[in-house]
Amino acid sequence: MPNRPRLTRPPRILIASDQNHALSDVVRSLGRRGYSVLRVFAQASVLERARTARPDVIVLDAALGQDPALDLSRTLRADPSIGSGTPMLLLVPTRPSREDHRTALRAGVWELVRQPLDVAELLGRLDRYVLVKVERDGVSRRDLVDDVTGLYSTHGLARRAGELILQAARHNTSVACVAVAPDRDGPEGGADGLDGLRGVARLLEASGRRSDAIGRIGPAQFAVVAAGVNRVGARQLANRLRDSVGVGLRAGYDAVGSRRAGALDARSLLARAARALEMAKLEGKWVKEARD
């Protein structure tokens, strides 16, 4: 594995599939690269194995078990020992449609991998995903979470946004960021004080999808990063946030299509949405789209 950071243990790949022959080359190649490969052959055992092993990447086979694989991926994502930061791939038998990608993205799947497998390509992807996971694990929770609101800090949101951008590129879809702030000059008042900030944070968190990343990016500014959302969807998201929070909000947003998502820098996306928010304030508008 190229450019592997110094680890105290071999990186772990959990493969949940009962296909021995189809995956034999992958398992052997991973072993030669120094990976620890953990196999699960029954769908009912995946969650418990993932909890105990804490893998760096999870590979699920869509054909494993009778229940839909995306139900399993949602269950894994909901477990705090796995969460959103563990890359998860889903092996599928046919070419996925746009709707397949959209549904998988919202279920927490980072990438759909079509069978038969291209072993070399898959190994390259796994190498990259392990690096993403190891880098995240090397950052303390204190650096990722805002201690006032419990949401992502600016640093944490940028890191999570980078993961969502990577997922958007793999699913050939767009990614958007909506920055919001309570309008202290509005008729309904603002969110002064820590209690007000925490209240806004709770409402924003309650209104978001599980696949969204929500963080505090300034003294009273927040941002939501959402994969699979284009410019129209970003404005709709801003409307939903305003309705959910129930206080006057200003909003700015930016969205990038699938062609640019792969080369997008997370901090740049956050900064453009934040600048659009400031322009909305200056121009007396409630929402503003980022412009080049």
Side-chain angles (χ1 to χ4, degrees), residues 183-201:
D183 182 9
R184 290 185 173 85
D185 299 325
E188 298 176 354
D192 293 318
L194 297 184
D195 288 342
L197 287 175
R198 294 187 183 106
V200 171

Side-chain angles (χ1 to χ4, degrees), residues 49-100:
R49 192 73 170 104
R51 282 174 173 165
T52 57
R54 300 291 182 92
D56 298 298
V57 181
I58 298 173
V59 179
L60 301 177
D61 189 340
L64 181 67
Q66 298 299 316
D67 297 327
L70 293 184
D71 287 348
L72 176 58
S73 69
R74 294 184 187 97
T75 299
L76 290 166
R77 285 289 176 235
D79 192 280
S81 65
I82 301 161
S84 62
T86 302
M88 191 182 304
L89 286 68
L90 182 64
L91 306 180
V92 295
T94 58
R95 183 181 182 87
S97 66
R98 181 181 294 272
E99 184 59 31
D100 291 334

Side-chain angles (χ1 to χ4, degrees), residues 9 38 92 100 116 134 169 200 208 221 229 234 236:
R9 58 164 177 78
L38 313 171
V92 295
D100 291 334
V134 169
V200 171
Q221 292 83 40
V229 174
Q236 292 172 343

Side-chain angles (χ1 to χ4, degrees), residues 99-145:
E99 184 59 31
D100 291 334
H101 279 289
R102 184 180 297 112
T103 305
L105 178 63
R106 291 178 179 174
V109 173
W110 285 35
E111 184 173 357
L112 296 175
V113 181
R114 186 181 178 186
Q115 296 174 302
L117 300 174
D118 182 321
V119 176
E121 183 178 347
L122 178 59
L123 292 175
R125 297 285 174 83
L126 292 175
D127 282 347
R128 182 174 183 185
Y129 288 137
V130 166
L131 289 175
V132 170
K133 179 63 162 56
V134 169
E135 288 175 359
R136 169 187 267 261
D137 289 349
V139 181
S140 70
R141 185 180 185 279
R142 188 177 217 172
D143 292 331
L144 298 176
V145 177

